Amino acid sequence: MSIAIDVKNVSKVFTLHRQREMTLRQHFTQMLKQTFQTSQPIATPQQFSALQTVSFTVQQGESVAIIGRNGAGKSTLMRIISNIMRPTTGRVHIQGSYTSLLGIGTGFINNMTGRKNIYLNAAIFGKSPTEVDVLMDDIVAFADIGTFIDVPVKDYSSGMQARLAFSIIIHLLTDIVLLDEVLSVGDTAFQEKCLQRMLNLKQEGRTFLFVSHSFAAISLLCERTIWLDNGLMMIDGDTDAVLAEYRQFMDN
Amino acid sequence: MTRHRIRLILFILISTWISTLWLERSFFDESAQWMALSVRRVPLFAVTLLIYAAFINNIPKKLRQQQYDSRSLLAHLTELYSRRTLVQLWLGYRLESRYAQTILGILWVILLPLLTSLVLAFAFTQFVGYSGVVDNVPYVAFLLAGLSIFDVGHSIILRAQESLKGSMHIISRVYFPREIVLLVMVGEVLVDFCVTFVAMVVINALFFQIYPNIYYVFLPLIVLIMVAFSLGVAFIVAWYGLLINDLQPLLTIIMQLLFYLTVLFSRSSASSLAIILLNVNPLALLLEAFRDIVLFARPPNGLNLAFAACLAITLLYVGYTLFKVNENRFVEVA
């Protein structure tokens, strides 16, 4: 089996500016200082280390869950893996095509209809419109938002947006699917449907990396779980064992 | 480190550009009969070329030192090419929805430059005392031609920041080559320009007896240089616009000044100082070439175009590199 996702010594340090956006004058003075005296930094802004040397690999066809408290670095890690952010040190390698759904509401363009957004989202993940035409009926049927599919996305409820977004991601049939807390919006019936669909995809040999707070979903879908806390990898192992540890930790 | 190098190189570029002002012949000799481009301009040309060569040589190495974004320029361009369907699709949808809630629709594209040039022509001929004819061409036609091509650069530069910030909700969720956002905007501007251009040709033929000519074959080149120049600036502006909030008002003022320096006057009526400003301003040179073709039916000055092209390519390269080096930081800083 080959490696689908390879995360090697990834660290992420955020610089916390008291006021992030500088005025033009401040920027120019800083620019001049930095240009002509590269040796010493002017100020030492407060730094926050979101991830500290996280390393793991995900094999092809494996489903891995990431758990942890709020602010543990889960979303940062997902963003780094999906190439939206650059790690401060370390590197990430992804083998194969991937789709990612990070957070609620994807990259929809609000004044375009749901159908057009499907084509656009698919194109972002590298699928041409002709490829999407084949999948279109499935996507629309799965999202199950009725006639709203031809209505601008801005008129959708947040549940509808989540449904459509998830439906697109799950039907593009890429090798790897990255999901970050996406099941929390839909109603229970839709969650069931999603999990069923994900299980089917898993059986087809697709790889999942899955951030969730739902123990039920994790133990159903993932055989392996990674527990992050304060940017550190606590345990990486069998789902049942990790979940038990995590539950004990959270109770204290 | 890389970013500081780029800043340093930008400083060098701008200072060289300004310092070569002194090489202008007419700066020393006011009475000199001004030619389109003096021989002394050649050093400026050479220096720009040298800097350009230095960029090509150095920046990819600096990029390779970076741990993460270690890909070459070619790799970035290949990736961009592989995503061309996204550009097409996005551009198509943007154009469709563009005039969805307007009454005049696409007419706006031509109405704006036409009204602007009418008002300006009225003001300058009635109040300032212009004769109403510039180089045997009506002043209105002169302004309209200038405005239509100037708007390409103007819109691209001014809309860069807005288009990047407006797409931030998509950028923070999925990865795609971020320059696509700007390219879609450029596509929109170009479509607008095509409409304006056709309307302008029709107006010129109907009212001013100025007809299309064989030199129109040079027009794509001029538009291309214009786009390269302003896209280069747009890349730089878009990135710094995320960091600095007061860049946009500053830029608006600069573009306003450039508008007065480039659109309103022709070389024949300009003073020697104004001619120097014309000669170092690639926008003005492009406008001049455009007017030469459209209004005066004569071939553009090759050396002028080459100078503008040289600067445009340099800026495009610097801008694109700066943009791509910082691409994965957009989400952090915005």
Side-chain angles (χ1 to χ4, degrees):
Chain A
M1 273 218 280
S2 61
I3 292 170
I5 304 171
D6 185 13
V7 177
K8 221 177 256 169
N9 293 323
V10 165
S11 300
K12 182 72 194 174
V13 178
F14 287 112
T15 310
L16 301 176
H17 296 286
R18 215 164 290 142
Q19 196 179 3
R20 197 187 290 268
E21 277 163 339
M22 288 183 285
T23 65
L24 198 61
R25 194 182 141 206
Q26 286 167 337
H27 196 84
F28 267 116
T29 46
Q30 197 195 344
M31 203 160 110
L32 281 169
K33 279 181 191 163
Q34 283 184 358
T35 311
F36 294 112
Q37 20 174 295
T38 39
S39 52
Q40 53 194 32
I42 318 112
T44 45
Q46 204 187 340
Q47 299 211 310
F48 168 72
S49 154
L51 288 174
Q52 292 166 41
T53 54
V54 173
S55 300
F56 62 89
T57 55
V58 178
Q59 303 290 328
Q60 223 170 45
E62 204 178 11
S63 294
V64 176
I66 300 176
I67 55 168
R69 294 183 291 175
N70 291 132
K74 304 184 295 293
S75 296
T76 307
L77 181 62
M78 292 302 267
R79 281 182 161 187
I80 288 173
I81 291 173
S82 56
N83 200 10
I84 293 168
M85 265 185 203
R86 174 196 304 170
T88 311
T89 59
R91 60 181 303 122
V92 172
H93 184 72
I94 290 194
Q95 183 67 46
S97 58
Y98 69 93
T99 45
S100 61
L101 186 53
L102 311 181
I104 300 144
T106 43
F108 284 144
I109 293 181
N110 278 339
N111 52 11
M112 278 170 26
T113 65
R115 201 178 291 275
K116 286 178 181 174
N117 267 304
I118 293 177
Y119 283 114
L120 197 70
N121 254 280
I124 285 176
F125 293 115
K127 298 275 178 194
S128 69
T130 42
E131 285 173 281
V132 181
D133 284 334
V134 183
L135 305 167
M136 186 51 103
D137 291 340
D138 288 343
I139 296 177
V140 173
F142 190 88
D144 193 21
I145 53 172
T147 51
F148 270 90
I149 196 70
D150 291 313
V151 166
V153 172
K154 63 184 172 198
D155 297 333
Y156 283 27
S157 72
S158 53
M160 282 174 172
Q161 287 202 17
R163 276 164 170 262
L164 185 60
F166 191 84
S167 184
I168 296 170
I169 296 307
I170 219 74
H171 283 91
L172 290 182
L173 302 176
T174 49
D175 304 335
I176 302 162
V177 184
L178 308 169
L179 298 170
D180 187 356
E181 296 183 46
V182 285
L183 287 181
S184 48
V185 188
D187 51 38
T188 23
F190 187 68
Q191 283 186 20
E192 289 287 320
K193 201 161 88 169
C194 290
L195 279 173
Q196 198 50 52
R197 173 75 190 167
M198 280 157 78
L199 279 174
N200 288 344
L201 285 176
K202 200 187 144 189
Q203 274 158 13
E204 287 173 24
R206 303 190 195 280
T207 312
F208 279 92
L209 192 61
F210 183 51
V211 171
S212 181
H213 290 293
S214 156
F215 287 1
I218 290 175
S219 42
L220 189 67
L221 191 72
C222 306
E223 60 269 22
R224 192 178 132 204
T225 301
I226 293 168
W227 171 17
L228 285 180
D229 199 61
N230 288 330
L232 283 167
M233 233 168 85
M234 303 290 278
I235 320 175
D236 171 4
D238 189 59
T239 293
D240 294 336
V242 177
L243 285 185
E245 284 274 344
Y246 181 63
R247 200 172 276 135
Q248 202 178 15
F249 173 81
M250 289 301 275
D251 286 343
N252 292 334
Chain B
M1 199 56 209
T2 317
R3 276 177 294 134
H4 304 151
R5 289 277 163 85
I6 294 174
R7 284 168 183 170
L8 192 63
I9 289 167
L10 267 179
F11 275 131
I12 297 171
L13 181 72
I14 294 166
S15 51
T16 336
W17 191 8
I18 294 170
S19 62
T20 42
L21 274 178
W22 301 95
L23 292 173
E24 278 304 324
R25 184 174 169 168
S26 50
F27 206 92
F28 302 107
D29 183 7
E30 297 234 342
S31 63
Q33 188 66 41
W34 215 89
M35 284 153 53
L37 217 155
S38 68
V39 184
R40 301 196 190 192
R41 204 84 181 282
V42 172
L44 168 65
F45 207 67
V47 169
T48 321
L49 266 178
L50 266 178
I51 296 172
Y52 179 48
F55 280 135
I56 298 285
N57 201 24
N58 275 321
I59 289 186
K61 277 185 214 147
K62 296 287 174 293
L63 274 181
R64 239 167 267 138
Q65 276 181 3
Q66 289 245 335
Q67 278 184 315
Y68 204 64
D69 187 7
S70 55
R71 288 176 301 166
S72 64
L73 181 69
L74 193 67
H76 284 305
L77 291 179
T78 328
E79 192 190 2
L80 184 60
Y81 182 73
S82 70
R83 296 302 186 89
R84 61 194 182 282
T85 46
L86 176 59
V87 182
Q88 285 167 8
L89 213 58
W90 201 335
L91 180 60
Y93 290 155
R94 282 289 283 274
L95 289 173
E96 260 175 55
S97 65
R98 186 106 185 265
Y99 297 102
Q101 289 183 357
T102 59
I103 298 167
L104 291 178
I106 198 81
L107 268 179
W108 276 115
V109 176
I110 179 62
L111 218 56
L112 214 61
L114 188 62
L115 287 178
T116 315
S117 38
L118 279 175
V119 169
L120 281 173
F122 180 77
F124 275 89
T125 51
Q126 302 302 312
F127 296 110
V128 183
Y130 264 47
S131 62
V133 175
V134 179
D135 302 336
N136 300 321
V137 160
Y139 195 45
V140 179
F142 180 82
L143 285 175
L144 188 59
L147 266 174
S148 63
I149 183 81
F150 182 77
D151 251 10
V152 174
H154 184 257
S155 311
I156 290 176
I157 291 172
L158 282 191
R159 283 165 59 184
Q161 189 185 343
E162 166 219 310
S163 67
L164 192 66
K165 279 194 173 173
S167 305
M168 220 55 213
H169 65 288
I170 303 178
I171 289 175
S172 65
R173 290 223 163 72
V174 280
Y175 177 77
F176 55 93
R178 272 55 163 121
E179 63 269 32
I180 285 177
V181 173
L182 293 186
L183 290 179
V184 168
M185 184 265 295
V186 169
E188 275 183 80
V189 171
L190 280 179
V191 170
D192 281 359
F193 170 74
C194 290
V195 176
T196 319
F197 180 74
V198 170
M200 186 195 72
V201 170
V202 172
I203 289 173
N204 279 348
L206 285 182
F207 298 105
F208 309 118
Q209 284 78 48
I210 303 167
Y211 301 104
N213 57 66
I214 184 71
Y215 298 116
Y216 273 32
V217 291
F218 289 114
L219 285 179
L221 181 69
I222 292 171
V223 175
L224 202 68
I225 298 172
M226 191 63 150
V227 167
F229 178 83
S230 33
L231 190 58
V233 178
F235 278 135
I236 298 169
V237 163
W239 162 241
Y240 280 115
L242 289 180
L243 295 177
I244 324 168
N245 266 346
D246 38 12
L247 192 67
Q248 191 69 19
L250 178 73
L251 210 62
T252 315
I253 296 169
I254 293 176
M255 290 313 289
Q256 190 72 37
L257 292 176
L258 271 176
F259 170 81
Y260 289 119
L261 287 178
T262 52
V263 176
L264 292 183
F265 307 105
S266 82
R267 194 182 282 277
S268 60
S269 65
S271 69
S272 55
L273 178 69
I275 283 179
I276 294 172
L277 286 176
L278 268 178
N279 278 331
V280 291
N281 178 358
L283 285 178
L285 294 177
L286 286 170
L287 249 71
E288 197 179 24
F290 186 77
R291 281 169 174 155
D292 276 344
I293 296 169
V294 173
L295 299 178
F296 307 117
R298 60 186 179 215
N301 182 304
L303 210 48
N304 275 352
L305 274 189
F307 171 67
C310 201
L311 262 176
I313 294 168
T314 313
L315 266 172
L316 186 60
Y317 186 78
V318 177
Y320 190 57
T321 315
L322 184 77
F323 192 83
K324 289 308 272 190
V325 163
N326 292 303
E327 187 180 63
N328 305 50
R329 296 176 67 222
F330 288 175
V331 180
E332 283 169 57
V333 295

